[in-house]
Amino acid sequence: MMVDAMEYISGLVERITYTNEESGFSVIKLKSKGFSELITVVGNLAAVNVGAVLHLKGNWKFDSKYGRQFNAVDYKETIPATITGIEKYLGSGLIKGIGPVYARRIVNCFKEETLKVIEENPDKLICVEGIGQKRVDMIKKAWQEQKEIKNVVMFLQSNGVSTAYAVKIYKTYGNESINIVKTNPFRLADDIWGIGFKTADKIARQLGFAKDSYERCRSGIFYTLNELSNEGHCYANREQLISETAKILELGEKQINDAIDRMIEEKSIIQDEGDIIYLPPFYFSETGTAKRIKEILSKKNSRNLNNIDKIIADIQKEYGITYDEVQINAIKTAVTSKFMVLTGGPGTGKTTTTLAIIKVFQKLGDECLLAAPTGRAAKRLSETTGMEAKTIHRLLEYKPSEGYKRNSENPLKCDVLIIDEVSMVDIILMYNLLKAVSNEAIVILVGDVDQLPSVGAGNVLKDIIESGMVNVICLKRIFRQAMGSAIITNAHRINKGEMPILKGGRKSDFFYIEEEEPQKVVEIIKELCTKRLPGYYKVDPINDIQVLCPMQRGETGAQNLNAILQDALNPSDVTIKYGGTIYKLNDKVMQIKNNYDKNVFNGDIGTIVKIDMEDKTLVINFDGNDVEYDSTELDEVVLAYAITVHKSQGSEYRIVVAPLTMQHYMMLQRNLLYTCVTRAKKVFVLVGSKKAIGISVSNNKILQRNTMLAKRIRDISL
């Protein structure tokens, strides 16, 4: 490779060939005087738009693969002067509300004065065909924003921050962005989703913050505690916290220890018995949950049970169901308890028992409320009980700006609260739920304790059971109708540490295809989803088949399978790109973050029903609700042809296809395979190696979560 001396060139940006959202590295094509062909320019040019005039400083280099390129080390941008340049500039997606069509119309109307009109007299745009007041207001706002964003982007880029993050920072702090970043860049890690400590630390170092500053130590300690909470832990042992944080910050343990002491003093973290350290939300949620359970238990249940046997007999007659002894015991326990857990695996009659419990309470004149952690789980609960069931957030009337409307001052109006799929509920949500329950109410928690625990911190269902302070009924018998299902039989075998029966006939609902090679596993899954399963079962390949993966990454991970299945199943050419992912019209997608403003939650699956290239927006339909997204919000959404098993909790799918290979070694756990199998309603297909299955089945070493809930429930005396 030959490198020439530093030079200066100017020209018009004709097109942007490539941009890496993370690094800001871009490849652009420049039209420049004196050059017959377009020049290829490479460098950190992510803030640049088509149609802009650039003055570049850099050097020429010859790349053996791509030929002669101008390597830009610095640039200045000026607004285009020619009509063609202005049209390109406006049509590049720079301003929300103006795409190529409106750009042409505006430039035809105002010619060389276009940008001056938008800057000084934007109300004139109303005379352009198709532009109403709403769009004028949108353009005004977007024009102002892009000027500010430009400044923020330029400042942040010079400090090694990507454009994608720059836009997020501006959206959070507005015109204060640069000032806030300069004053305390570590705030970014706390305030902005997607920006972690490492990014904030990189900016801080660029800005000259000392390696051993208290702000940096504080942010590193928060980062370690947050990382542990993402793994499910409510607290960290002090020793563990010091050693982990010291590694991240590359500092001595004494400095970290001193910073921890100062943070305890400031009450930004909480130290509890035995040198354990909590972030305040987890401490107050754990102690509060224990206290609320004890308070509910302390009130007496005064229901008259003289005619309970007759009520149960009437329900059995009415619904044509015969309950066994354990189920009748569960019904009676529910009616006489103040706080109860009903647990059991698939096919053990949890649903029919829950239905009977509801009917008994109704015949006793009690009002029941039903809820579940996710929209899908709530919908399923509604379908099986014939009653309205809400998500817990909706039940508590949560609004981002106001918090939970239902709380201790404004409790839920019910005699009985029944929560399904409780294994998914984390400690913070459980605390907010129990705060909204009156002491007089009966609380019944239903769930499968052997499934994967909640994505959020805590192990609530398991801890409540282990406390020994509440009534627990465990359903174990598999009912006859369920016995015929190889899915259910194998789920219970896996749960007991036995290999599933992998040989199934044509009429089975559990199939296994043996394949060691990851590449071939991918090919088989593609064929199953596009041809074999839709052809044989006459199902919709997108809506009726769900691929569940142990991991996100790797050849047989969800990311790669999504790209392959999107290409194979969705031919649409209406697209929008964000962060390296192409989203197409009709794509199946999943929300990966709770967004209370939009009323969509982590794990919700929807379909892209509209893409507006002019406005850089798209609409996703989640279970009948249309939700609009700006293109910059698409880091909250991933393709969902394939998802992780963790994200599938609380959902059921008609057909599940699951890869299981030695590539997934880190995730080969019994409860993961068990959860995966139990998501399938009609058909389950496992593709992979017997060795990987064997490791999963035998590996019952579930990562112990740092929680104190069971002990706190036992210890509290009211």
Side-chain angles (χ1 to χ4, degrees):
M1 187 181 284
M2 286 162 43
V3 179
D4 299 335
M6 198 70 73
E7 287 188 39
Y8 297 83
I9 61 165
S10 300
L12 180 81
V13 180
E14 279 285 328
R15 65 177 181 269
I16 296 165
T17 310
Y18 171 79
T19 297
N20 183 314
E21 297 277 355
E22 294 302 310
S23 65
F25 175 82
S26 303
V27 180
I28 64 170
K29 296 288 186 181
L30 198 77
K31 193 175 186 178
S32 182
K33 276 184 183 173
F35 293 87
S36 56
E37 291 182 0
L38 294 178
I39 299 166
T40 302
V41 180
V42 299
N44 200 331
L45 303 157
V48 165
N49 285 91
V50 171
V53 174
L54 293 187
H55 305 279
L56 298 146
K57 174 186 173 185
N59 49 47
W60 291 97
K61 63 177 187 178
F62 187 81
D63 187 282
S64 56
K65 191 174 178 183
Y66 298 106
R68 198 167 184 239
Q69 299 175 336
F70 190 80
N71 185 31
V73 293
D74 196 15
Y75 71 93
K76 282 188 181 134
E77 184 180 324
T78 55
I79 285 172
T82 66
I83 289 174
T84 310
I86 293 168
E87 190 182 318
K88 275 191 176 158
Y89 188 68
L90 284 183
S92 67
L94 170 79
I95 299 159
K96 191 177 175 180
I98 305 180
V101 173
Y102 283 117
R104 192 169 304 120
R105 289 180 192 173
I106 293 168
V107 171
N108 282 344
C109 200
F110 300 109
K111 308 291 193 273
E112 285 92 347
E113 296 293 299
T114 296
L115 296 178
K116 193 179 174 188
V117 167
I118 295 172
E119 174 72 39
E120 296 172 12
N121 203 350
D123 289 319
K124 278 188 174 179
L125 294 169
I126 199 87
C127 68
V128 177
E129 185 201 341
I131 293 184
Q133 192 57 49
K134 190 180 168 189
R135 193 170 290 273
V136 169
D137 293 341
M138 191 195 289
I139 292 167
K140 276 186 195 171
K141 188 180 170 207
W143 180 258
Q144 254 341 95
E145 274 188 2
Q146 68 87 24
K147 286 202 304 187
E148 292 294 341
I149 287 173
K150 216 74 160 179
N151 293 336
V152 174
V153 166
M154 298 299 277
F155 166 74
L156 291 169
Q157 272 194 358
S158 65
N159 288 289
V161 185
S162 75
T163 310
Y165 287 151
V167 172
K168 281 192 161 195
I169 292 166
Y170 178 78
K171 277 195 165 181
T172 308
Y173 305 130
N175 296 349
E176 286 294 297
S177 297
I178 293 173
N179 189 33
I180 286 170
V181 173
K182 277 182 177 172
T183 311
N184 183 8
F186 296 106
R187 271 187 64 180
L188 301 175
D190 301 333
D191 298 345
I192 299 167
W193 190 76
I195 296 184
F197 167 76
K198 289 178 181 173
T199 304
D201 193 36
K202 187 177 157 192
I203 300 165
R205 301 298 292 276
Q206 288 263 22
L207 291 168
F209 275 72
K211 192 177 174 181
D212 61 352
S213 69
Y214 172 63
E215 288 86 0
R216 185 168 183 263
C217 291
R218 187 176 184 271
S219 190
I221 290 161
F222 277 141
Y223 171 74
T224 305
L225 286 169
N226 276 312
E227 284 294 293
L228 287 166
S229 76
N230 291 337
E231 290 168 21
H233 303 293
C234 290
Y235 66 83
N237 293 301
R238 188 176 183 119
E239 196 182 319
Q240 174 194 16
L241 180 57
I242 291 169
S243 89
E244 291 294 316
T245 310
K247 272 188 250 168
I248 292 158
L249 299 181
E250 296 173 344
L251 289 172
E253 293 192 353
K254 185 180 180 308
Q255 286 163 298
I256 310 296
N257 197 38
D258 291 347
I260 290 171
D261 285 338
R262 188 169 161 186
M263 288 170 77
I264 293 166
E265 226 172 274
E266 293 172 352
K267 296 190 169 58
S268 54
I269 55 177
I270 292 168
Q271 181 168 319
D272 201 37
E273 59 185 78
D275 243 11
I276 59 178
I277 310 263
Y278 283 85
L279 287 168
F282 300 113
Y283 175 78
F284 292 119
S285 295
E286 202 173 78
T287 53
T289 298
K291 190 165 179 275
R292 288 297 302 125
I293 290 172
K294 277 301 196 52
E295 285 169 347
I296 294 164
L297 285 169
S298 68
K299 292 285 180 183
K300 205 168 175 293
N301 183 336
S302 55
R303 281 161 183 77
N304 184 350
L305 295 180
N306 292 341
N307 61 345
I308 188 75
D309 289 321
K310 185 179 181 308
I311 293 173
I312 292 171
D314 290 348
I315 290 168
Q316 291 188 108
K317 198 173 173 184
E318 192 179 334
Y319 289 92
I321 297 171
T322 305
Y323 298 114
D324 70 4
E325 271 178 59
V326 182
Q327 287 179 301
I328 288 170
N329 180 32
I331 298 162
K332 288 181 176 178
T333 305
V335 176
T336 56
S337 296
K338 280 296 281 126
F339 204 110
M340 168 189 153
V341 172
L342 177 67
T343 185
T348 57
K350 278 201 307 295
T351 303
T352 49
T353 309
T354 305
L355 182 63
I357 290 168
I358 294 165
K359 296 297 169 191
V360 169
F361 278 122
Q362 285 175 336
K363 287 185 185 290
L364 290 168
D366 289 314
E367 189 181 340
C368 299
L369 283 180
L370 275 59
T374 65
R376 292 204 158 200
K379 193 178 174 189
R380 217 172 68 236
L381 185 58
S382 288
E383 287 164 358
T384 55
T385 60
M387 280 180 68
E388 185 191 16
K390 296 178 177 176
T391 64
I392 297 172
H393 284 95
R394 196 165 288 165
L395 183 78
L396 300 177
E397 297 172 39
Y398 183 87
K399 286 184 180 165
S401 53
E402 299 160 28
Y404 296 96
K405 197 174 167 185
R406 294 289 179 180
N407 49 39
S408 52
E409 278 82 47
N410 180 28
L412 295 163
K413 291 175 176 57
C414 67
D415 303 298
V416 184
L417 177 66
I418 298 173
I419 307 292
D420 197 16
E421 296 284 358
V422 180
S423 61
M424 296 178 70
V425 178
D426 61 44
I427 191 68
I428 290 177
L429 186 56
M430 181 54 78
Y431 178 45
N432 282 296
L433 177 67
L434 294 181
K435 275 200 288 188
V437 178
S438 78
N439 288 349
E440 283 67 35
I442 291 171
V443 177
I444 296 167
L445 306 181
V446 183
D448 184 349
V449 75
D450 294 315
Q451 277 193 38
L452 288 167
S454 57
V455 174
N459 207 343
V460 175
L461 183 61
K462 186 170 176 280
D463 285 350
I464 291 172
I465 294 170
E466 283 185 1
S467 74
M469 301 305 290
V470 305
N471 288 322
V472 178
I473 302 291
C474 184
L475 303 175
K476 289 181 177 170
R477 181 184 152 211
I478 304 173
F479 282 87
R480 205 171 11 203
Q481 63 268 32
M483 289 286 282
S485 162
I487 290 172
I488 288 172
T489 305
N490 279 335
H492 285 275
R493 286 182 68 92
I494 291 163
N495 204 23
K496 287 189 279 188
E498 298 169 9
M499 276 291 280
I501 298 160
L502 299 173
K503 266 190 173 173
R506 281 182 77 86
K507 289 185 178 175
S508 178
D509 57 2
F510 186 108
F511 300 95
Y512 170 61
I513 300 169
E514 188 169 5
E515 180 53 65
E516 300 278 340
E517 289 293 318
Q519 197 179 340
K520 287 181 180 167
V521 169
V522 171
E523 284 166 18
I524 291 166
I525 288 173
K526 182 182 169 183
E527 196 189 344
L528 282 166
C529 295
T530 55
K531 294 176 185 162
R532 286 164 66 177
L533 291 168
Y536 189 79
Y537 292 103
K538 307 290 183 269
V539 294
D540 176 349
I542 294 177
N543 295 316
D544 294 326
I545 301 171
Q546 185 61 60
V547 177
L548 296 184
C549 307
M551 294 170 74
Q552 236 351 311
R553 304 194 182 276
E555 206 167 354
T556 53
Q559 252 175 9
N560 184 44
L561 282 164
N562 265 320
I564 285 161
L565 292 170
Q566 181 197 44
D567 189 51
L569 292 169
N570 187 357
S572 176
D573 55 5
V574 181
T575 65
I576 194 164
K577 191 177 174 191
Y578 181 83
T581 302
I582 294 167
Y583 297 89
K584 297 182 179 181
L585 189 67
N586 305 321
D587 263 340
K588 180 180 180 178
V589 292
M590 181 173 66
Q591 179 78 14
I592 57 166
K593 170 189 184 265
N594 287 343
N595 188 323
Y596 302 105
D597 291 319
K598 297 184 189 294
N599 204 19
V600 285
F601 300 97
N602 190 351
D604 285 356
I605 286 180
T607 305
I608 297 176
V609 291
K610 185 183 172 189
I611 293 178
D612 189 326
M613 293 307 299
E614 291 283 325
D615 294 347
K616 293 279 186 221
T617 60
L618 53 82
V619 174
I620 302 173
N621 183 282
F622 293 98
D623 280 330
N625 299 318
D626 283 351
V627 183
E628 188 173 279
Y629 286 76
D630 190 85
S631 61
T632 59
E633 298 173 310
L634 287 177
D635 58 347
E636 294 184 14
V637 175
V638 294
L639 296 175
Y641 299 95
I643 63 174
T644 63
V645 178
H646 280 87
K647 290 287 187 192
S648 73
Q649 284 171 272
S651 298
E652 279 187 344
Y653 313 96
R654 191 165 173 186
I655 299 175
V656 169
V657 178
L660 201 72
T661 70
M662 292 307 291
Q663 274 194 344
H664 304 130
Y665 187 77
M666 294 294 291
M667 298 301 291
L668 298 179
Q669 292 164 352
R670 189 186 298 175
N671 61 351
L672 185 128
L673 183 56
Y674 172 76
T675 302
C676 182
V677 172
T678 56
R679 298 309 87 207
K681 275 198 288 192
K682 299 288 182 193
V683 179
F684 180 82
V685 187
L686 189 60
V687 185
S689 76
K690 279 185 182 159
K691 188 178 176 185
I693 299 168
I695 291 170
S696 299
V697 169
S698 58
N699 181 12
N700 202 27
K701 291 188 189 112
I702 299 160
L703 178 73
Q704 282 302 114
R705 295 188 164 193
N706 291 343
T707 70
M708 293 276 282
L709 181 62
K711 183 177 182 300
R712 292 188 194 279
I713 299 169
R714 285 193 293 268
D715 289 355
I716 284 179
S717 56
L718 294 169

